[in-house]
Amino acid sequence: MAVARTRSVAVIGVAGRTVEVEADVGNGLAGIHLIGLPDTALSEARDRVRSAMVNSAYPWPDARIIVSLFPASLPKRGSQFDLAIAVAILGAAGVIPAERIAEPFFLGELGLDGRIRPVRGVLPSILGAAKHGDVTVVVPAANSAEAALVPNVKVIPVSHLRQLVEWLRRGDDEPEPRVEEYAELPKSTDGPTVDLADVVGQPVARRALEVCAAGGHNLWMLGPPGTGKTMLAERLPTLLPDLELDHALEVTAIHSVAGALPPNAPMMSRPPFVSPHHTATSAAIIGGGSAIVRPGAVSLAHRGVLFLDEAPEFPRHVLDALRQPLESGRVTVSRSAGSVTFPARFMLVMAANPCPCAQAEDQGDTCKCTPTIKRRYLGRLSGPLLDRIDMKVTVVRSSRRELLADRQFVETSKTVAKRVLLARERAAKRLTGTPWRTNAEIPSSLLHSDYRPSNEAMKPMTSCLDSGTLTARGLDRVVRVAWTLADLADKDTPEEDETNAALSFWLGVKS
């Protein structure tokens, strides 16, 4: 009887922290003791590991067993430590060579019959393990495609505890299924089911959508029902280019932790689109949880689009909670056990009716809402929140001529996406050497130094600043949109036409 050590990974937020698992099998009252701040799910690992070992035809040591998870001050949560605990006990009991388990990382939940079940957060766990250099990671076979996304890591997929133990005893080739079978990662073959050509008319809103996609800007659309606000928002992701590799890994890691990773595509190569219901709580939008802190909608929409339909129906405190991630691109969730930071750089798209009855007076409908009711309804969208929206568009109902026109001449998402890609390439070239990729990410300090438009181009904003209709934050938003309009027009710097157009977008909603 001796002490055996191996390694696993604890996921804190979307970051992996190495955990050393030690098992001591020695003299004393028979039983197993788990120490190192385990939660309830991890404390139950004692029974799962015991049943899995016995049902895999390996004897359970009739001795005192102490399993320690280091660092002891780090809270350990979840069932992904089952496999590491099992091999540590088997190593301490002499069933497998202790030196064979000292270096690899083990992740997986054990079934009572010895099967190794998939777990959440495999990708961030592997990324955390990869910080130690070239490592070997043993994962459930169902998670192997996700684990293989990380370069320079040897992935060993296993499906049963007995399969793993026999491989550790032999010390030869990898167990079946071999990792080479997962070298070609399955990709989703589902193409986009929506297209911008489905939207009839709405030239201003379509143009706003193109500018948002090119620069990563936020958008607010105001208009009565049936004008196409939801259709426009749902088609915004079709205009966005595929995610770059580092961004794709970020997005995939978040969805892996949340358990929302599509089973047919281990890597998310397309920008996500998240549309929560207006009854969603603050924790559902921002992230939270009592025992395990999970990412919210703002993090699930990272590098993609967060769409709030019927935005005034959301609780005001939920809407105001968006202000901090809109500025910083991340959200910090604080609980008594500690704080967790999630990435949350997304494009916010909000849609709203002009009043509770949603009747448009200009189309002959009878609106019974008083001016006070209208102000109270739209007042749920606070001034500080709207100050962080780059573009505001009033959407009106399409005319009969637009609805009955031949739609073969309407621009498709593919056509607009090509212009968006060229504009993003221009912005990326201009931002070479900086950590930013789009105009929306440029900090305020550089907007008024390195990226400040000419004095002639800034003239349209002077009177607005003097009258107070344009705030300091609004000025930054207008300048960023002007740069995106210049990129779409293939210009080296914004001119007065671009700043005028950007200003009209910022002041565009007429409630």
Side-chain angles (χ1 to χ4, degrees):
M1 302 296 181
V3 175
R5 297 179 179 85
T6 188
R7 296 189 289 182
S8 188
V9 182
V11 178
I12 308 298
V14 289
R17 293 279 301 275
T18 299
V19 173
E20 187 173 291
V21 181
E22 297 178 305
D24 177 20
V25 177
N27 297 326
L29 186 64
I32 178 173
H33 305 278
L34 198 61
I35 58 177
L37 288 184
D39 70 343
T40 302
L42 182 51
S43 297
E44 293 172 349
R46 295 173 292 191
D47 300 317
R48 291 194 298 270
V49 170
R50 185 182 188 281
S51 295
M53 287 176 57
V54 171
N55 292 323
S56 299
Y58 298 114
W60 180 257
D62 186 17
R64 176 186 55 82
I65 304 173
I66 297 179
V67 177
S68 174
L69 306 175
F70 176 84
S73 59
L74 180 70
K76 322 297 187 308
R77 300 183 176 93
S79 57
Q80 68 269 23
F81 298 98
D82 288 5
L83 195 58
I85 292 173
V87 297
I89 293 174
L90 289 168
V95 177
I96 55 179
E99 63 275 8
R100 287 275 293 159
I101 64 173
E103 292 300 323
F105 289 80
F106 294 87
L107 297 169
E109 177 182 336
L110 285 172
L112 300 183
D113 58 354
R115 284 184 293 176
I116 302 176
R117 304 180 186 277
V119 294
R120 291 181 176 184
V122 166
L123 180 58
S125 298
I126 306 298
L127 290 171
K131 296 177 181 177
H132 296 270
D134 295 336
V135 296
T136 299
V137 184
V138 178
V139 300
N143 291 126
S144 58
E146 180 184 349
L149 296 174
V150 184
N152 302 322
V153 173
K154 184 178 182 181
V155 177
I156 305 295
V158 290
S159 57
H160 198 279
L161 179 61
R162 188 167 188 84
Q163 172 194 14
L164 173 61
V165 172
E166 293 305 312
W167 170 66
L168 290 171
R169 280 177 164 177
R170 294 193 310 268
D172 52 9
D173 294 334
E174 301 166 14
E176 296 291 340
R178 296 182 184 276
V179 72
E180 286 80 9
E181 297 180 16
Y182 300 93
E184 290 294 329
L185 303 179
K187 298 181 179 179
S188 175
T189 57
D190 298 332
T193 57
V194 295
D195 195 281
L196 192 59
D198 302 333
V199 181
V200 178
Q202 308 300 350
V204 176
R206 289 171 62 98
R207 175 62 172 172
L209 219 63
E210 179 179 346
V211 176
C212 287
H217 305 292
N218 304 317
L219 174 65
W220 178 31
M221 293 181 287
L222 179 71
T227 53
K229 302 187 297 295
T230 302
M231 289 183 65
L232 286 162
E234 290 174 344
R235 283 147 183 78
L236 177 55
T238 66
L239 309 182
L240 300 174
D242 288 342
L243 296 172
E244 299 177 11
L245 178 59
D246 55 342
H247 291 171
L249 289 175
E250 282 181 347
V251 173
T252 304
I254 295 170
H255 284 252
S256 177
V257 170
L261 198 61
N264 62 332
M267 176 178 283
M268 297 185 62
S269 59
R270 292 293 303 158
F273 178 82
V274 180
S275 179
H277 193 261
H278 64 262
T279 58
T281 63
S282 180
I285 299 295
I286 300 300
S290 55
I292 302 178
V293 178
R294 299 292 187 193
V298 296
S299 296
L300 294 175
H302 182 59
R303 302 295 178 186
V305 179
L306 176 65
F307 176 47
L308 302 185
D309 200 5
E310 307 294 345
E313 300 295 338
F314 283 79
R316 180 161 181 166
H317 72 277
V318 173
L319 293 173
D320 285 340
L322 297 172
R323 287 150 54 179
Q324 185 259 338
L326 283 174
E327 284 292 322
S328 63
R330 61 183 182 274
V331 60
T332 300
V333 181
S334 299
R335 293 294 183 267
S336 59
S339 298
V340 177
T341 298
F342 295 106
R345 187 167 295 282
F346 57 91
M347 284 186 289
L348 176 63
V349 179
M350 298 192 300
N353 296 320
C355 61
C357 75
Q359 300 297 323
E361 291 181 339
D362 59 341
Q363 297 293 330
D365 296 332
T366 303
C367 177
K368 299 179 180 179
C369 299
T370 65
T372 302
I373 292 177
K374 292 182 179 180
R375 285 195 301 269
R376 186 182 300 121
Y377 181 72
L378 292 179
R380 299 176 187 177
L381 305 178
S382 66
L385 175 62
L386 294 179
D387 209 29
R388 290 166 168 81
I389 304 300
D390 309 64
M391 307 177 67
K392 308 175 182 72
V393 175
T394 300
V395 184
V396 298
R397 290 176 178 173
S398 300
S399 65
R400 181 182 66 176
R401 182 177 181 180
E402 291 174 328
L403 292 173
L404 299 180
D406 191 349
R407 303 190 182 184
Q408 66 175 331
F409 300 107
V410 179
E411 281 191 322
T412 63
S413 293
K414 185 176 181 180
T415 301
V416 179
K418 290 180 180 178
R419 295 199 297 265
V420 169
L421 182 60
L422 291 175
R424 287 211 170 197
E425 289 176 348
R426 286 183 61 87
K429 183 178 180 181
R430 183 172 62 251
L431 298 173
T432 300
T434 72
W436 310 294
R437 314 286 179 89
T438 61
N439 293 319
E441 301 175 21
I442 301 175
S444 177
S445 58
L446 292 183
L447 283 176
H448 301 289
S449 56
D450 298 351
Y451 301 103
R452 183 182 179 88
S454 65
N455 293 334
E456 187 71 21
M458 293 290 289
K459 281 184 178 180
M461 289 170 273
T462 305
S463 60
C464 292
L465 286 171
D466 293 339
S467 64
T469 57
L470 186 64
T471 64
R473 183 183 289 114
L475 174 63
D476 293 347
R477 301 283 174 180
V478 172
V479 173
R480 292 187 181 103
V481 173
W483 271 107
T484 301
L485 289 168
D487 290 332
L488 286 169
D490 197 19
K491 295 182 179 180
D492 293 332
T493 184
E495 299 176 359
E496 191 171 354
D497 289 343
E498 283 72 41
T499 54
N500 263 319
L503 187 60
S504 65
F505 273 127
W506 197 82
L507 301 171
V509 164
K510 299 179 179 63
S511 57

